Amino acid sequence: EENTLIKSLLNGIYELFCSGDVLTVISLSSEGHLVLISLLTLLNNDQLYKFSYTTEVLVDRAKGSKDGSAGYRISSDVDVNLVWRDPSSKDDQLIQLISNVKIENVAPRSAKKNIFQGATTQSLLGEKKLAALERPFMVHLKNGKVGSFYCYKAEPASIKNLKRGVASLLQVQSRSGKVIENDVSGRCTVEYKAAQGQVTRTKALETCKTAETGFTTYIQVLGVSGESSSVTVFILEDGFIKSAIAKETHILAVNARRTTSAKIVSRQSLTLVTIETGPFEAAGKNVASVVKSLDEKLFAVGVTAEKVKSQCKGCQSLFEHWQAVQKQFEPDSLSKAIAPRSFLALIQSIRKASKDEILQVLKSSSKTALPQVVDAVTSSQTPASLDAMLQFLNFADPKGLVLQERFLYACGFASHPNERMLQALDISKGKIVSNEIKESVVIIMGALVHKLCQKGGCDLPTVVEVKKMILEGPDSTQVESDVQMYLLALKNSLLPEAIPLFSKYAESEVGAYCTVSLTALQRYDVALITDEVKQTVNRVYHQNRRVYEKNVRAAAADVIFSSNPSYMEVKNMLLSIGNLPRELNKYMLSKVNDILHFEMPASKILRQAMKDMISHNYDRFSKVGSSSAFSGFMAHTADATTTYSLDILYSGSGVLRRSNMNIYGASNGALLHGLQVAIEAQGMESLIAAKPDEGEEDLESFAGMSALLFDVQLRPVTFFKGYSDLMSKMFSMSGEPMNVVKGLILLTDHSQVIQLQSGLKANAEFQGGLAIDISGGMEVSLWYRESKTSDIISFSTRLE
């Protein structure tokens, strides 16, 4: 009897299906109940369907602002009628849409703050755009999907996109499931959930493929993350769309500071108002012939949104902008908060300017402000700005070293470099006369390789060429400075292929090679540090093959502690304490205590090893000295954590051997090595008649400083090298610290084009700038047999 009832229902539904009025689909639920899902009824001939359509967009902070959201609403009456239907397929139809438009404020505003007060739609859009928006357009619907979109070719792209937004809202299907659809947002994955009288369409916006996307910084801690959602609910009545309500939300926030955020809400509403008598259906074999017979000016275009070229009327030119802010780029203003703000604003103007306009600003700048202008132009990262810089700079001029290095460092800090920037540096190598600039070029090329590989560009021709050059570089020369240059470039590149090279040079006879290689290994992901690499580092620390300098052994200890050490590795390091040179003993004790109190990854295994009284006892842990290692928090918020560490290693005679200060930022599982300033000295004992430590008897006197800034290793600076160099510089010293890096840096750089389903576009931009000055110096007194070191770090920031 139950089967007979089901057959009767099926026969009745089949008759309804054959009538052509309603297309109905039957499915069985998991419980075995019948579920009826209605499709959109085919539009009837000689009828005009009148809809009320509104779309609005609101912009606000993620948690709302005290003044409320800002935005506007476009409302219209939309008339829809059937133009043509395929005789062989009733669900293949061409419809025409006509609208009249009104624009108004969507959020309550006082008359003083309401820009729509007293304005008309024509005054806001212009007569031509309004006429284009109210001009009829046609949509070819097949099986509920937009096949073709017909409009006038000369219409502005923004007007076409608004019409596409209306057409996209008409797409619907009755079957539950995931499909890939083309609409104004792009090619997206869409999920439908159907119930009786209602269909819910959820669009996965992160899957949408569009021509316009934007860019963001490669540094996750300083980057921007977002959440998006798009849901449309269709209400059906007798198989026909009674209403369609869509809501789309985008929330963007800076990872390190979530309060700096933006929220964009877009809504669409299409409601059936009435049905009246309308025009008759046109005759024709296919859609194209019907459209041509009705209006030859109508062209078929894709439903995906076009790129809109924005024009700013009455805006300042780049040169006018520069004239207004040039005083804020003078050295005296760099310590003020206005400097990074002006820097960010100038970048925005440069990104809209041509090469000639940029050259005009460069040539008109004062000598004192010019380095800051070079920072801004290079950070803009447009084809025009790069061309302007390459034309303006003369790498064959030894007097332009400051500008050349500022250009190179700005390239190294670039937020979204491309292959052409790397290619420009590769080409410039042949024109350079300064050895220091040559070194900086190669080192910065390593940083660009790392960033391009992070973006998936490791196989680009220029990247492949540069990778080959820096990987083969260390073994291709016997010049110490060149070997160190290639090792620093590889340190910046973080190429997995470089790990065997670093492992090899970690056991070199040259202390500088060892230090660079060991500090480079510490930057790699722990998963890439193999057992073979660990064995090498342990050999260096325990001096299994040769005697090493204290700072090399200290660097090896840092690598071991940061690479998931085994119980035996930690125990052997503890057993070595007491048999090391005095200051290295003290340094290792400070390092162990620092790891324990700061809860670092090695803390757990270290506590296990210290349960053994042979390795942990008073005799070992009571060693005295001046060396130290300490870590602490600089800031700890819900969004980010900033830590610092300061390691100081002295020689047995009490002279500084190495000072290393680090600042790290962590946010949402990502880590940023924000800053490292290292001062190193060696061979000073001969100047003060002191006895050098083991392995350091024949070291040449040397003092220098290096900096790593935002994951980019910079070219080290030498204070002096050799006794004669020291003497000459002692008599010529001005007492002023030597500059390591100085300038304006673009930290956060995020630009995103959000194509809304309504056809409107939203542009989201986040920028953060930093004015920084890192300097250091070393004073040596032969009379008092003492040396003094200093490092000065000053900066001001701005986030918008």
Side-chain angles (χ1 to χ4, degrees):
E1 292 178 357
E2 186 177 1
N3 290 338
T4 304
L5 177 62
I6 292 175
K7 287 179 182 179
S8 177
L9 280 170
L10 288 173
N11 287 331
I13 293 168
Y14 177 73
E15 291 176 2
L16 185 64
F17 166 77
C18 293
S19 70
D21 294 330
V22 179
L23 183 60
T24 307
V25 178
I26 281 192
S27 67
L28 285 174
S29 68
S30 58
E31 293 81 10
H33 300 299
L34 284 172
V35 180
L36 299 180
I37 307 173
S38 297
L39 278 174
L40 174 64
T41 303
L42 302 177
L43 292 175
N44 290 322
N45 187 18
D46 72 6
Q47 286 190 339
L48 183 67
Y49 300 83
K50 287 186 169 292
F51 287 88
S52 172
Y53 175 75
T54 63
T55 182
E56 61 186 39
V57 60
L58 291 162
V59 179
D60 199 352
R61 293 182 181 145
K63 292 186 178 181
S65 59
K66 61 180 182 179
D67 295 327
S69 302
Y72 59 91
R73 178 188 295 116
I74 299 175
S75 56
S76 172
D77 297 324
V78 177
D79 295 343
V80 182
N81 66 278
L82 178 67
V83 176
W84 170 87
R85 179 187 291 140
D86 188 344
S88 61
S89 175
K90 293 187 176 183
D91 200 24
D92 186 354
Q93 52 194 337
L94 179 69
I95 62 173
Q96 177 176 262
L97 296 92
I98 306 173
S99 60
N100 54 57
V101 179
K102 178 183 178 183
I103 300 177
E104 58 189 350
N105 187 27
V106 70
R109 284 283 186 277
S110 63
K112 186 178 181 181
K113 294 182 178 181
N114 189 358
I115 63 171
F116 298 96
Q117 185 75 20
T120 63
T121 305
Q122 182 172 317
S123 66
L124 292 170
L125 288 178
E127 185 177 351
K128 291 183 178 180
K129 284 189 175 181
L130 179 60
L133 189 57
E134 295 183 342
R135 192 177 294 132
F137 63 98
M138 295 186 185
V139 178
H140 178 207
L141 285 173
K142 191 171 185 179
N143 298 321
K145 310 295 181 182
V146 176
S148 299
F149 175 80
Y150 293 88
C151 63
Y152 288 86
K153 194 172 183 180
E155 289 180 356
S158 58
I159 301 302
K160 292 179 187 176
N161 289 343
L162 283 170
K163 292 180 177 181
R164 288 181 172 105
V166 178
S168 298
L169 194 58
L170 296 175
Q171 290 196 130
V172 63
Q173 73 177 44
S174 66
R175 301 180 308 278
S176 295
K178 289 185 178 181
V179 295
I180 296 177
E181 286 185 353
N182 292 322
D183 66 6
V184 67
S185 302
R187 188 170 179 81
C188 314
T189 300
V190 179
E191 182 177 10
Y192 284 92
K193 289 185 179 180
Q196 188 172 5
Q198 179 174 308
V199 175
T200 301
R201 180 178 69 191
T202 303
K203 188 186 303 182
L205 293 172
E206 67 278 3
T207 66
C208 294
K209 296 179 180 179
T210 59
E212 291 184 275
T213 54
F215 55 80
T216 190
T217 178
Y218 82 103
I219 302 176
Q220 187 176 342
V221 174
L222 300 174
V224 174
S225 59
E227 298 177 1
S228 301
S229 65
S230 175
V231 178
T232 305
V233 178
F234 297 90
I235 302 297
L236 307 177
E237 186 176 282
D238 296 329
F240 193 81
I241 292 180
K242 185 178 181 182
S243 68
I245 308 296
K247 182 179 180 181
E248 184 175 348
T249 304
H250 300 265
I251 299 176
L252 301 170
V254 178
N255 293 330
R257 191 182 179 189
R258 305 290 298 180
T259 54
T260 304
S261 60
K263 182 178 182 180
I264 301 164
V265 178
S266 174
R267 296 187 180 94
Q268 283 178 283
S269 174
L270 183 69
T271 305
L272 179 64
V273 178
T274 185
I275 302 175
E276 300 177 357
T277 303
F280 287 98
E281 178 182 341
K285 294 182 179 181
N286 54 56
V287 173
S289 62
V290 170
V291 173
K292 189 175 182 180
S293 65
L294 293 174
D295 192 338
E296 291 185 348
K297 293 182 180 180
L298 287 173
F299 285 84
V301 294
V303 71
T304 301
E306 293 180 39
K307 187 175 182 179
V308 178
K309 294 182 180 179
S310 59
Q311 294 181 347
C312 185
K313 297 180 180 179
C315 293
Q316 285 182 318
S317 66
L318 174 61
F319 189 70
E320 291 171 337
H321 183 174
W322 167 243
Q323 287 181 316
V325 300
Q326 57 184 333
K327 290 183 180 179
Q328 294 155 14
F329 284 79
E330 295 294 337
D332 293 341
S333 300
L334 292 182
S335 60
K336 301 174 183 177
I338 191 66
R341 184 173 187 177
S342 301
F343 170 65
L344 298 178
L346 185 62
I347 287 175
Q348 292 289 345
S349 294
I350 294 172
R351 284 178 171 169
K352 302 170 187 173
S354 65
K355 183 182 83 170
D356 292 337
E357 290 175 306
I358 297 170
L359 283 170
Q360 184 185 12
V361 171
L362 287 166
K363 292 175 181 179
S364 65
S365 302
S366 65
K367 289 184 178 180
T368 51
L370 187 54
Q372 287 72 252
V373 178
V374 169
D375 292 336
V377 173
T378 311
S379 298
S380 301
Q381 301 167 72
T382 64
S385 65
L386 182 57
D387 289 340
M389 286 307 311
L390 293 175
Q391 182 175 328
F392 180 75
L393 294 175
N394 180 10
F395 284 92
D397 181 10
K399 296 180 181 179
L401 300 185
V402 173
L403 297 181
Q404 294 166 23
E405 192 132 63
R406 292 287 277 267
F407 165 70
L408 293 173
Y409 285 170
C411 288
F413 298 130
S415 57
H416 55 283
N418 54 25
E419 185 185 12
R420 188 168 178 270
M421 180 178 282
L422 180 61
Q423 192 176 32
L425 297 189
D426 198 22
I427 293 171
S428 68
K429 288 189 300 178
K431 309 173 186 178
I432 300 170
V433 296
S434 166
N435 288 329
E436 293 179 348
I437 297 300
K438 284 181 181 177
E439 291 177 13
S440 290
V441 166
V442 176
I443 292 170
I444 295 304
M445 284 170 69
L448 291 179
V449 165
H450 174 56
K451 294 183 180 183
L452 290 170
C453 283
Q454 279 191 315
K455 293 168 58 179
C458 247
D459 295 328
L460 294 171
T462 308
V463 176
V464 172
E465 182 183 343
V466 174
K467 281 167 57 178
K468 184 175 184 292
M469 182 262 293
I470 60 178
L471 283 168
E472 296 176 353
D475 293 334
S476 67
T477 179
Q478 298 296 321
V479 180
E480 183 177 328
S481 59
D482 288 350
V483 175
Q484 185 172 343
M485 170 188 72
Y486 287 117
L487 289 175
L488 289 171
L490 288 169
K491 180 180 179 180
N492 270 338
S493 72
L494 283 180
L495 292 171
E497 306 95 300
I499 292 178
L501 264 175
F502 288 133
S503 185
K504 170 187 171 182
Y505 279 92
E507 294 187 278
S508 172
E509 295 180 358
V510 181
Y513 301 169
C514 300
T515 305
V516 173
S517 299
L518 290 167
T519 54
L521 288 172
Q522 196 174 1
R523 298 187 67 200
Y524 281 93
D525 189 284
V526 177
L528 296 174
I529 305 301
T530 62
D531 291 338
E532 291 78 11
V533 175
K534 287 186 176 185
Q535 290 171 9
T536 300
V537 178
N538 275 279
R539 284 198 301 267
V540 173
Y541 175 77
H542 294 290
Q543 302 190 124
N544 296 134
R545 292 183 176 176
R546 65 168 57 93
V547 176
Y548 293 94
E549 305 163 32
K550 290 191 303 298
N551 61 319
V552 173
R553 298 183 71 183
D558 292 340
V559 177
I560 295 170
F561 278 131
S562 62
S563 303
N564 287 338
S566 65
Y567 175 84
M568 287 308 300
E569 284 180 308
V570 173
K571 185 174 180 179
N572 286 334
M573 292 179 73
L574 291 175
L575 290 173
S576 70
I577 299 175
N579 301 312
L580 305 171
R582 188 186 72 175
E583 287 299 333
L584 187 54
N585 265 327
K586 180 60 178 175
Y587 175 82
M588 288 299 296
L589 288 174
S590 296
K591 196 71 181 177
V592 167
N593 288 324
D594 188 42
I595 292 172
L596 291 174
H597 102 271
F598 205 60
E599 290 298 327
M600 297 181 185
S603 297
K604 184 177 180 180
I605 196 72
L606 189 56
R607 287 192 179 93
Q608 291 178 9
M610 289 178 66
K611 292 178 181 179
D612 183 358
M613 296 301 293
I614 297 175
S615 56
H616 179 211
N617 54 52
Y618 178 79
D619 181 54
R620 296 186 191 283
F621 278 72
S622 62
K623 302 301 180 183
V624 296
S626 302
S627 301
S628 63
F630 185 81
S631 301
F633 287 101
M634 293 184 69
H636 191 44
T637 66
D639 302 324
T641 300
T642 306
T643 61
Y644 74 93
S645 65
L646 178 59
D647 298 351
I648 302 177
L649 177 65
Y650 289 94
S651 67
S653 58
V655 178
L656 178 72
R657 189 69 177 85
R658 188 191 72 171
S659 170
N660 195 1
M661 194 270 282
N662 292 278
I663 296 178
Y664 291 91
S667 176
N668 198 25
L671 183 67
L672 168 67
H673 197 168
L675 178 66
Q676 181 186 75
V677 179
I679 295 180
E680 188 174 339
Q682 68 178 35
M684 304 295 291
E685 288 78 10
S686 61
L687 303 178
I688 59 175
K691 182 181 178 181
D693 291 328
E694 180 188 20
E696 302 180 359
E697 295 87 355
D698 300 322
L699 293 179
E700 182 183 24
S701 57
F702 164 84
M705 183 177 181
S706 68
L708 185 149
L709 191 58
F710 301 109
D711 281 332
V712 178
Q713 173 69 57
L714 307 180
R715 179 181 60 82
V717 172
T718 299
F719 297 147
F720 64 84
K721 187 172 185 179
Y723 183 78
S724 59
D725 188 27
L726 170 61
M727 291 296 101
S728 64
K729 288 183 177 177
M730 280 183 64
F731 290 108
S732 62
M733 278 183 183
S734 63
E736 294 295 324
M738 184 178 292
N739 179 255
V740 177
V741 60
K742 182 177 183 178
L744 293 160
I745 300 174
L746 183 61
L747 295 181
T748 298
D749 191 19
H750 180 91
S751 179
Q752 183 175 349
V753 179
I754 302 173
Q755 178 60 59
L756 303 172
Q757 185 178 274
S758 62
L760 297 169
K761 289 181 187 251
N763 293 332
E765 294 190 357
F766 293 81
Q767 284 189 315
L770 173 73
I772 192 166
D773 185 351
I774 301 177
S775 304
M778 187 168 188
E779 298 178 19
V780 179
S781 173
L782 298 182
W783 181 261
Y784 292 104
R785 295 186 178 182
E786 66 178 13
S787 65
K788 295 180 181 179
T789 59
S790 62
D791 53 89
I792 303 168
I793 305 170
S794 61
F795 59 86
S796 59
T797 60
R798 178 76 184 182
L799 181 62
E800 295 184 346

